[in-house]
Amino acid sequence: MRIILWMLFFTLFIWAIFGLKNSIDQEEIKTQNTIDSLQNVIDSLHHEIDTLEWKNQIWDFNIKFSTSFLLSAIIDVESSNNDSAYNSREDAVGCLQIRKCMVDDVNRILRRQNSQLRFTYDDRWLRSKSTQMFGIYCKYYSLNTAEEIARCWNGGPRGMSKPITANYWRKVQNNLDS
């Protein structure tokens, strides 16, 4: 009889331990889901803050064309204001359709300036990082007019001498006019 009671006690004990472990595992899953959900909310709010900061900044490089800003027009032409835009043919990414060679060029500029700042290819997906790269690029190449900025953004540092970039400038100009 004692053996049966001990076996029953042992079985109930093991069953209780497995039940407790299962309960703990379920609680951990709920906690992880809550953390993931909160992380999504934080990411969403961070995106909202980035967007608000971007809208509040003057990105016209002191060049006003009508009432619009140049960077907004370029973003609209490049990606229709879509931070998730991707051109697989050129591997151009984000709101400014930045290619890897642009990231490499901006990082080269930063090294020459003895800056510790560096960008990754993934930074192209972030509007704040993309516009920061845009500013570094324009400043380094001393792009002063709206046409210079647009055409050199499209065609590289010698974009002004490339006839094909004139069409791009017309698109940006039309966007500024609208």
Side-chain angles (χ1 to χ4, degrees):
M1 186 70 162
R2 282 185 172 174
I3 293 175
I4 293 173
L5 284 174
W6 276 107
M7 285 178 57
L8 183 60
F9 175 75
F10 182 74
T11 304
L12 289 173
F13 181 73
I14 296 297
W15 183 71
I17 288 175
F18 281 123
L20 183 60
K21 183 183 182 311
N22 190 25
S23 173
I24 291 171
D25 288 346
Q26 287 178 353
E27 194 61 39
E28 285 177 0
I29 290 170
K30 286 180 186 176
T31 302
Q32 186 60 45
N33 287 342
T34 302
I35 290 170
D36 291 344
S37 172
L38 291 173
Q39 185 63 42
N40 288 339
V41 170
I42 290 169
D43 289 346
S44 168
L45 290 173
H46 182 67
H47 176 71
E48 291 291 322
I49 290 169
D50 282 350
T51 303
L52 290 172
E53 285 177 356
W54 172 74
K55 287 180 180 176
N56 286 332
Q57 293 174 359
I58 299 174
W59 282 104
D60 66 342
F61 293 85
N62 297 323
I63 302 165
K64 286 195 177 175
F65 195 92
S66 295
T67 58
S68 299
F69 297 114
L70 180 60
L71 183 58
S72 296
I74 291 173
I75 288 173
D76 198 51
V77 169
E78 289 287 354
S79 67
S80 299
N81 207 25
N82 179 2
D83 292 345
S84 299
Y86 177 67
N87 179 337
S88 59
R89 198 176 86 243
E90 295 182 11
D91 191 28
V93 170
C95 66
L96 281 166
Q97 290 295 280
I98 297 175
R99 297 184 321 183
K100 289 179 178 178
C101 61
M102 176 63 75
V103 176
D104 294 339
D105 192 28
V106 169
N107 283 334
R108 179 189 60 79
I109 291 166
L110 292 169
R111 273 192 302 278
R112 281 188 172 183
Q113 295 173 343
N114 293 321
S115 172
Q116 297 300 311
L117 178 63
R118 294 294 183 275
F119 293 97
T120 67
Y121 296 141
D122 287 341
D123 289 338
R124 301 175 296 166
W125 293 103
L126 302 171
R127 182 177 295 246
S128 61
K129 300 276 184 148
S130 295
T131 56
Q132 193 176 6
M133 284 188 261
F134 179 88
I136 292 165
Y137 179 85
C138 292
K139 185 175 181 181
Y140 180 78
Y141 289 109
S142 300
L143 305 175
N144 297 313
T145 68
E147 183 176 5
E148 276 180 328
I149 291 170
R151 290 181 68 178
C152 291
W153 182 254
N154 179 250
R158 295 184 195 97
M160 283 299 290
S161 63
K162 297 178 181 178
I164 191 105
T165 63
N167 290 331
Y168 179 81
W169 166 238
R170 277 192 285 283
K171 289 178 188 177
V172 171
Q173 200 172 22
N174 288 338
N175 192 291
L176 286 167
D177 287 336
S178 62

